[in-house]
């Protein structure tokens, strides 16, 4: 029973922002699961409102996931506390601000606040991203186990990871306590991020980051932005059930 449930949930992980619609045949081929099993799983999820079917018979995520996601989002990131903190940080820095959590070998953008600038970096709530590129990912990866770093490098998509260079950068991040990158995740965009720690202060579980054009967010801007980031972290960590680092 539990094995069947695990297998069904594993199929749901194939529904991503990049591939949000699946036909039975295509999902069976991608997952390696027998077509009849995939058909039963998708039909069952559709009956319960977790999936919807289009006129071509393909499946997409249903509103039931959205309802559960809103519960999770408000549990991890109380809107009435986090949103004002992120908005205040965006106003102070003039750049886009986003809160991310570690989810397996990837990062997940949980909440954000847009810059008032006409030229700004954009990331969407619920968007996943690699941990080996960009300050928002590296601020988390720097404090993870070597085994997780191995997995991140092994599953890197669209690029080859220079492990020696990555390890050296992660070491500098651990020493400094913050991550700065320029044009790693997106051309023309720089990022500055700090880690978010667990209650026992032993594990980094997320990051708080700002991102903007390299012309505005250069290395000279780091010191003044760091103060604002650290101030915001105190509020954000408490709100999402974390505790500030001593």
């Amino acid at each position: 029973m539990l094995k069947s449930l695990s297998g069904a949930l594993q199929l749901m992980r194939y529904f991503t922002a990049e591939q949000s619609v699946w036909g039975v045949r295509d999902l069976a081929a991608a997952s390696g699961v027998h077509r009849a099993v995939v058909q039963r799983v998708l039909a069952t999820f559709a009956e319960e409102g977790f999936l919807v079917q289009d006129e071509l018979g393909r499946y997409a995520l249903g509103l039931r996931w959205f309802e559960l996601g809103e519960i999770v989002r408000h549990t991890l990131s109380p809107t009435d506390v986090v949103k004002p903190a992120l908005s205040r940080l965006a106003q102070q820095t003039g750049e886009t601000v986003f809160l991310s959590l570690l989810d397996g070998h990837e990062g997940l953008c949980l909440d954000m606040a847009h810059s008032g600038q006409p030229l700004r970096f954009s990331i969407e709530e619920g968007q996943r991203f690699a941990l080996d590129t960009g300050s928002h990912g590296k601020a988390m990866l720097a404090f993870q186990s070597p085994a997780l770093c191995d997995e991140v490098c092994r599953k890197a998509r669209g690029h080859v990871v220079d492990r020696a260079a990555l390890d050296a950068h992660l070491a500098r991040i651990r020493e400094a306590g913050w991550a700065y990158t320029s044009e790693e995740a997106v051309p023309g965009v720089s990022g500055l991020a700090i880690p978010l720690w667990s209650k026992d202060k032993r594990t980094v579980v997320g990051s708080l980051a700002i991102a903007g054009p390299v012309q505005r967010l250069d290395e000279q801007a780091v010191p003044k932005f760091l103060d604002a980031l650290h101030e915001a972290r105190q509020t954000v960590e408490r709100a999402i059930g974390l505790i500030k680092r001593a």
Side-chain angles (χ1 to χ4, degrees), residues 152-209:
V152 169
C153 293
R154 186 171 60 252
K155 295 185 176 181
R157 299 178 183 177
H159 65 282
V160 177
V161 179
D162 183 337
R163 184 59 186 270
L166 176 62
D167 286 344
H169 193 188
L170 296 182
R172 294 195 297 272
I173 293 170
R174 284 192 293 273
E175 181 178 359
W178 50 268
Y180 174 81
T181 60
S182 182
E183 300 190 282
E184 280 195 1
V186 180
V189 173
S190 294
L192 177 64
I194 56 176
L196 299 174
W197 292 80
S198 62
K199 289 183 177 180
D200 59 12
K201 304 182 185 180
R202 296 179 180 179
T203 306
V204 166
V205 296
S207 67
L208 182 62

Side-chain angles (χ1 to χ4, degrees), residues 219-240:
E219 292 191 65
Q220 285 67 43
V222 169
K224 65 177 182 179
F225 286 165
L226 271 177
D227 288 342
L229 272 170
H230 284 124
E231 181 182 352
R233 176 168 64 179
Q234 297 179 27
T235 300
V236 172
E237 284 186 331
R238 287 196 296 266
I240 62 176

Side-chain angles (χ1 to χ4, degrees), residues 83-103:
K83 273 295 187 186
L86 297 184
S87 297
R88 185 164 53 251
L89 182 57
Q91 291 174 355
Q92 290 175 317
T93 62
E95 305 298 349
T96 298
V97 174
F98 50 102
L99 164 66
S100 302
L101 294 183
L102 181 68
D103 188 27

Side-chain angles (χ1 to χ4, degrees), residues 28-54:
S31 64
V33 178
H34 193 279
R35 184 176 175 181
V37 175
V38 173
Q39 175 65 65
R40 288 198 301 271
V41 169
L42 297 186
T44 299
F45 273 103
E47 289 175 5
E48 299 298 327
F50 288 96
L51 293 175
V52 292
Q53 199 171 14
D54 65 15

